[in-house]
Amino acid sequence: MMRLELVKRPQRSALFSVLSPFIAFALTMIAGAIMFALLGVNPLNAFNVYFVQPISEVWQLHELAIKAAPLILIAVGLSVCYKANIWNIGAEGQFILGGIFGSIIPVLFPDFEGPLVLPLMLLLGMVGGALYAAIPALLKTRFSTNEILTSLMLVYVAQLFLDWLVRGPWRDPQGHGFPQTIQFGDSAVLPELMPDAGRANWGFVFALVAAIAIWLMMSRMLKGFEVRVLGSSPRAGRFAGFGFNKMVFFTFLLSGALAGLAGISEVSGAIGQLQPVISPGYGFTAIIVAFLGRLNPLGIAAAGLVLALTYLGGEAVQSALGISDKVARVFQGMLLFFVLGCDTLIHYRIRLIGFAAPQLEAAPKLEEAR
Amino acid sequence: MSANHDRANLLEVRGLTKIFGTLTACNHIDLNIAKGEIHALLGENGAGKSTLVKMLFGSLEPNSGEIFWNGQAVRITSPGVAKKLGIGMVFQHFSLFEALTAAENIALSLNDGSPISTIAAKARALSYSYGLPLDPESLVGDLSVGERQRIEIIRCLLQTPQLIILDEPTSVLTPQEADKLFETLERLRAEGKSILYISHRLEEVKRICDRATVLRHGKVVGHCNPRQETAASLARMMVGNEVKAVVRAPAEGIETAPALLEIRGLTRKPATPFAVPLKNINLAVRAGEVIGIAGVAGNGQGEFFESVSGEVLQQDSGSVRIRGKDAGALSITGRRLMGAAFVPEERLGHGAAPRMKLSENLLLSRHATDGKSFVGSGGMVKNASVYSAAQRIIAAMDVRKSAADPEAAALSGGNLQKFIVGRELDRKPSVMVVNQPTWGVDAGAAAHIRQALIELARSGSAVLVISQDLDELFELSDAIAVMHNGELSAPLPIAEATFERIGLLMGGAEPGHAEHSMETA
């Protein structure tokens, strides 16, 4: 009789910590090929359209950076939460509130112009995201509510609040009744990095800087150590003198601020005004990015590019092959599924075992030895 | 040759092997248990006793080997199969719901649909007939540890087992409660039932067991009749060599030395319905002395440790004083900065983060006290100096490990404990509070740790040791106080302390009555 058995490793495997995302990616491709075949499309052709064509020209790489920037910014913040075993699922809402707060200046004070406008907007965006994230943190520390539920539900509140704003008080009076704010003035628009080559803006730089800064914090600083201790063994954290409630606020405010920064960067950079919908689910996709990147900020920067490609690929297969762009969602879901599955390999070895024949070996008899 | 060999074997184990990763926890174990015998399974922590027993009870599956029950080869694939065969088990750590009554807990595990009242009546009758009186209607949360163990034993007996496995049953009992248990075991033996008795306490094994199987490093190193052995010869078989005795130099000038740790009227309400309240605890530990706190598990030691360490703050800041200053309102970090050091009972998950390296676990308790040497400007950790300090501790405490800087969970319990104690000793703290310093630690390492604690005290520090191991406290302490039900007795100087007196206090006797009840006992 043979069977598979998971054998716990004495130490987590460094090899599989690195390999697991790649194995997951390979499994996703196999499952994706089966899916395309079932949809009646040649998988090779579909992969070409989905993964290769969208990044074959320089301007397309700029589009990739535009999509990747918010994913990376949000995901590095979330990675700190998740390392602390605190579950902020509401980055989508914090992203929206960041967009709204940052838009206060260009929408309500359109005449205020100059070099101060943009830094103030970015700052307000971070404040907005952080304040919105403080709500689940406060509820968790004061009333022990489950932060997964509260942060998630606040996403819908944020979406409806934005919808109300752009249809009501903040609607452009000259906008022919369209639900959107006025176009931001020049000093309120996030500049493009290389306007001649493509549309990518400073948001991508923010994302990379955030990834490096958070990586430094998590790997080299006492604060990062505190996050990891409280996340992996809260009681040992208390023994170390680290406060759990303080950590809840720290992680929520940090991840909220980064999500808010992503929100205002998207609004002022890629969109240029507030609309009823400003995110194709960046806040949720960033959760996948965080895990695909192994909760390591540098890994997240790479994972952000991969997930950004799934967005572009979804648009490409829709226009070129007539397949629904929901395919992008399927790919994202499969990727998360396989990543979590492959993580098992970090802590366990897979062994094929059968029952060996029992060996007889008598133990020494002390009484007889005398 | 004992007469037992003539009887038929109830259980025979041949070549039983269990491998976890690279560790062979049980290596070709042979074991025979005759009908109507009390068979001791001896071995140090980590020798493979628990693994062997788990295979016999069906909670672990062996990699190879055979088990015969009444001469028939059997495969015990689950605890359910073991119970059906007639194997019952009383675990060291109880699995009881505190919010339910004893009878309800028993009904849950029997799961045969009979009404609670029937079960309660049966349990009551059985408990009295075996001399383990038990009120089935009482709430488990209100019962002492000894009484909870009775529920486990009665629950096991209700299933009319032929073989009863007891895992370290006396580790939670007072000496007097243990005597009661031995009477019960002898009665069970007289009825022809077999008992597998797991322990590392040699005196009690000599007293009640007919035969013993000794394990070391996962192998059977011998079978013997414990009555013909001395405690020393049994210890040698368990450990493999002589254990160095702990030397306790006489403490001098303690009476005039300043009290470095003072507990004054410490009172704490229970944080949960089943926590033990602390009632007006007073204690002073002077420079140069070791004070031991004895007590049966679950009498408030954990709550006391948390309060002294500052993991839980006091309302009255004068109720804990360190080096003459009020510390009750200070966090654990604040108390460490005043010169105190703490070693909690649980190693993994409390004293150390299991999935972190030893060097990171060094930072865990010393990031504030050694802030200058371990943390640089801007909150950057100085990894190199943390690493070299960790290596210094590893060398000083003889911590055995497989890698230069392994994760805490990769170390054996004893080696991790040596590191955790060494981590605090390395600071030369003026106040050291240790809960269960050598729990689950092999004899050699335990002697090392105890010696280090005594030497710390003799160098002028105040050392407070909380332990359930009386042998250890008698070896270490200059005076022993007893914690019972959240109250602490006055410390008894070691010259006046005896097992009987401490045992009576552990059982809840009034300190003043201790002499009297000893005479009548």
Side-chain angles (χ1 to χ4, degrees):
Chain A
M1 189 175 136
M2 301 289 269
R3 64 197 164 93
L4 288 172
E5 194 178 70
L6 287 177
V7 183
K8 196 150 174 58
R9 298 176 191 273
Q11 301 249 352
R12 47 179 298 151
S13 157
L15 176 70
F16 278 99
S17 289
V18 176
L19 274 188
S20 137
F22 294 98
I23 300 174
F25 192 72
L27 289 171
T28 305
M29 298 301 269
I30 294 169
I34 295 170
M35 178 182 72
F36 281 127
L38 289 175
L39 286 169
V41 184
N42 178 354
L44 284 180
N45 183 26
F47 279 151
N48 184 31
V49 173
Y50 198 106
F51 289 109
V52 181
Q53 283 179 9
I55 46 170
S56 47
E57 288 181 49
V58 173
W59 69 268
Q60 289 174 312
L61 291 177
H62 279 254
E63 294 300 312
L64 188 74
I66 287 178
K67 288 271 190 293
L71 290 175
I72 296 170
L73 260 180
I74 300 170
V76 290
L78 291 182
S79 73
V80 179
C81 282
Y82 299 164
K83 277 276 184 191
N85 214 5
I86 292 165
W87 300 94
N88 178 4
I89 306 295
E92 181 82 357
Q94 293 140 25
F95 177 95
I96 292 171
L97 261 286
I100 293 174
F101 264 64
S103 302
I104 289 174
I105 295 175
V107 173
L108 297 184
F109 309 99
D111 298 334
F112 175 32
E113 287 186 9
L116 265 181
V117 171
L118 205 53
L120 273 178
M121 284 170 63
L122 297 174
L123 192 69
L124 273 174
M126 293 171 76
V127 169
L131 281 180
Y132 205 55
I135 300 172
L138 185 71
L139 292 174
K140 181 176 176 65
T141 52
R142 287 294 290 275
F143 305 110
S144 300
T145 51
N146 183 321
E147 76 275 20
I148 298 177
L149 294 178
T150 51
S151 64
L152 177 62
M153 290 191 292
L154 283 168
V155 170
Y156 306 111
V157 176
Q159 287 172 340
L160 293 171
F161 179 60
L162 171 64
D163 193 78
W164 172 76
L165 270 183
V166 295
R167 288 174 201 280
W170 283 14
R171 189 174 62 189
D172 179 4
Q174 271 93 51
H176 309 290
F178 280 107
Q180 56 196 29
T181 63
I182 54 168
Q183 284 283 339
F184 292 178
D186 285 346
S187 54
V189 169
L190 202 59
E192 289 169 359
L193 287 169
M194 291 171 273
D196 299 335
R199 296 203 306 136
N201 58 45
W202 276 83
F204 191 64
V205 176
F206 298 158
L208 294 184
V209 169
I212 292 168
I214 299 287
W215 174 78
L216 260 179
M217 181 189 87
M218 291 302 288
S219 60
R220 296 289 151 84
M221 291 173 67
L222 191 62
K223 193 72 196 174
F225 176 71
E226 189 177 334
V227 171
R228 288 183 288 128
V229 170
L230 280 170
S232 65
S233 17
R235 191 133 184 247
R238 197 175 61 166
F239 179 69
F242 302 144
F244 183 73
N245 283 354
K246 264 165 57 188
M247 183 53 64
V248 171
F249 273 101
F250 174 76
T251 55
F252 262 100
L253 292 180
L254 177 71
S255 58
L258 288 174
L261 178 62
I264 187 56
S265 301
E266 179 76 4
V267 169
S268 93
I271 306 175
Q273 64 182 169
L274 275 182
Q275 297 169 348
V277 174
I278 56 172
S279 159
Y282 285 136
F284 294 116
T285 307
I287 297 171
I288 305 174
V289 173
F291 280 102
L292 185 65
R294 302 230 50 78
L295 301 184
N296 175 330
L298 303 184
I300 284 170
L305 292 169
V306 173
L307 267 294
L309 181 56
T310 64
Y311 276 118
L312 296 181
E315 290 165 14
V317 288
Q318 186 171 36
S319 59
L321 303 173
I323 298 175
S324 162
D325 69 349
K326 292 284 187 293
V327 165
R329 288 267 151 188
V330 177
F331 264 104
Q332 292 172 2
M334 287 194 299
L335 205 48
L336 180 63
F337 175 82
F338 285 120
V339 164
L340 296 179
C342 288
D343 276 4
T344 310
L345 295 173
I346 296 169
H347 293 293
Y348 294 90
R349 272 186 304 134
I350 293 179
R351 211 172 50 160
L352 189 67
I353 60 160
F355 289 108
Q359 288 166 287
L360 285 171
E361 188 182 291
K365 294 257 192 300
L366 198 84
E367 291 158 272
E368 286 159 15
R370 287 193 177 158
Chain B
M1 282 285 147
S2 78
N4 292 323
H5 284 243
D6 306 331
R7 297 186 205 153
N9 279 333
L10 177 67
L11 179 83
E12 257 188 80
V13 170
R14 291 275 165 268
L16 213 57
T17 299
K18 179 72 192 176
I19 300 167
F20 298 109
T22 54
L23 176 82
T24 306
C26 283
N27 192 351
H28 291 100
I29 302 283
D30 292 347
L31 173 72
N32 296 330
I33 298 175
K35 284 180 183 144
E37 76 164 342
I38 302 182
H39 193 113
L41 189 57
L42 276 172
E44 292 197 278
N45 282 285
K49 292 175 303 199
S50 299
T51 307
L52 173 59
V53 162
K54 279 181 189 159
M55 290 191 284
L56 295 181
F57 195 60
S59 8
L60 277 178
E61 211 171 329
N63 294 85
S64 66
E66 293 172 297
I67 299 172
F68 298 91
W69 179 255
N70 281 320
Q72 300 285 313
V74 288
R75 271 191 64 202
I76 306 173
T77 48
S78 74
V81 174
K83 281 181 193 165
K84 270 207 195 94
L85 285 175
I87 300 175
M89 170 121 192
V90 177
F91 288 95
Q92 189 178 5
H93 300 286
F94 307 147
S95 44
L96 296 170
F97 294 97
E98 297 195 330
L100 300 180
T101 67
E104 285 166 341
N105 268 289
I106 294 172
L108 269 174
S109 71
L110 288 183
N111 196 23
D112 62 355
S114 42
I116 301 254
S117 56
T118 321
I119 291 170
K122 267 199 220 163
R124 189 189 305 270
L126 200 66
S127 72
Y128 280 91
S129 75
Y130 281 105
L132 298 169
L134 173 74
D135 176 11
E137 315 297 338
S138 51
L139 217 56
V140 170
D142 297 335
L143 298 179
S144 74
V145 185
E147 288 168 315
R148 291 181 199 200
Q149 188 184 54
R150 285 182 193 174
I151 303 177
E152 292 270 359
I153 294 174
I154 298 298
R155 174 155 89 175
C156 174
L157 290 178
L158 273 173
Q159 293 161 347
T160 58
Q162 318 249 291
L163 172 67
I164 301 154
I165 304 172
L166 293 158
D167 191 0
E168 301 270 357
T170 55
S171 63
V172 295
L173 301 180
T174 66
Q176 288 83 359
E177 283 175 319
D179 285 343
K180 263 267 170 61
L181 175 69
F182 297 153
E183 285 172 27
T184 306
L185 297 185
E186 275 159 12
R187 189 170 326 189
L188 287 167
R189 168 171 59 189
E191 290 174 7
K193 295 192 191 302
S194 307
I195 291 162
L196 183 59
Y197 190 90
I198 301 163
S199 185
H200 63 266
R201 296 192 172 175
L202 305 169
E203 289 301 338
E204 63 189 40
V205 165
K206 273 174 63 61
R207 183 170 148 196
I208 62 161
C209 296
D210 305 303
R211 282 198 301 156
T213 296
V214 185
L215 295 185
R216 188 166 74 227
H217 301 318
K219 286 185 186 161
V220 174
V221 291
H223 303 283
C224 65
N225 180 342
R227 295 201 173 101
Q228 294 167 358
E229 303 286 331
T230 62
S233 70
L234 287 173
R236 222 169 16 246
M237 284 170 71
M238 270 168 59
V239 181
N241 53 30
E242 300 284 345
V243 176
K244 224 170 77 185
V246 172
V247 185
R248 189 159 53 87
E252 280 163 16
I254 282 180
E255 289 74 16
T256 55
L260 297 182
L261 174 68
E262 292 166 276
I263 315 293
R264 292 184 180 169
L266 174 64
T267 297
R268 183 177 159 198
K269 291 199 180 75
T272 69
F274 303 114
V276 180
L278 299 179
K279 298 166 197 160
N280 190 26
I281 292 178
N282 292 287
L283 184 71
V285 190
R286 298 173 186 282
E289 73 176 344
V290 181
I291 300 251
I293 294 185
V296 176
N299 269 287
Q301 294 97 325
E303 288 82 354
F304 177 69
F305 179 84
E306 281 183 338
S307 304
V308 175
S309 71
E311 287 172 281
V312 173
L313 303 185
Q314 283 76 54
Q315 296 199 318
D316 170 12
S317 74
S319 60
V320 175
R321 290 167 60 83
I322 295 170
R323 293 166 77 189
K325 294 205 180 82
D326 288 357
L330 292 178
S331 69
I332 187 166
T333 302
R335 294 181 200 195
R336 284 190 179 119
L337 289 171
M338 292 175 82
F342 309 97
V343 176
E345 175 178 0
E346 288 285 330
R347 287 183 282 269
L348 288 175
H350 191 177
R355 287 285 164 204
M356 290 197 158
K357 294 172 187 165
L358 287 185
S359 58
E360 292 176 300
N361 272 301
L362 170 61
L363 202 56
L364 189 75
S365 75
R366 292 179 52 178
H367 59 89
T369 53
D370 298 63
K372 285 210 181 74
S373 40
F374 291 164
V375 184
S377 57
M380 301 295 258
V381 174
K382 293 181 185 167
N383 284 324
S385 45
V386 176
Y387 180 84
S388 62
Q391 295 302 320
R392 181 174 74 222
I393 292 164
I394 286 166
M397 296 301 286
D398 185 27
V399 177
R400 315 262 172 88
K401 58 198 173 41
S402 53
D405 193 10
E407 288 179 356
L411 261 61
S412 75
N415 279 307
L416 181 57
Q417 184 72 3
K418 282 195 276 189
F419 181 80
I420 291 176
V421 173
R423 170 177 81 187
E424 308 303 331
L425 290 175
D426 182 64
R427 266 179 63 204
K428 301 189 176 57
S430 49
V431 172
M432 177 93 160
V433 183
V434 192
N435 194 1
Q436 298 282 47
T438 63
W439 178 77
V441 174
D442 64 74
H448 191 137
I449 289 173
R450 288 171 193 161
Q451 193 68 57
L453 288 173
I454 291 171
E455 276 159 22
L456 176 70
R458 295 300 181 258
S459 72
S461 302
V463 177
L464 182 61
V465 176
I466 304 168
S467 177
Q468 286 151 40
D469 184 344
L470 278 186
D471 296 319
E472 165 169 273
L473 289 177
F474 274 86
E475 211 170 280
L476 271 175
S477 315
D478 299 307
I480 299 179
V482 176
M483 185 160 277
H484 177 260
N485 204 10
E487 290 180 272
L488 190 70
S489 75
L492 212 55
I494 197 72
E496 298 166 30
T498 61
F499 268 63
E500 286 71 24
R501 286 182 75 173
I502 299 294
L504 285 169
L505 288 169
M506 284 164 70
E510 291 292 320
H513 298 247
E515 300 293 335
H516 176 69
S517 38
M518 238 182 73
E519 286 157 24
T520 54

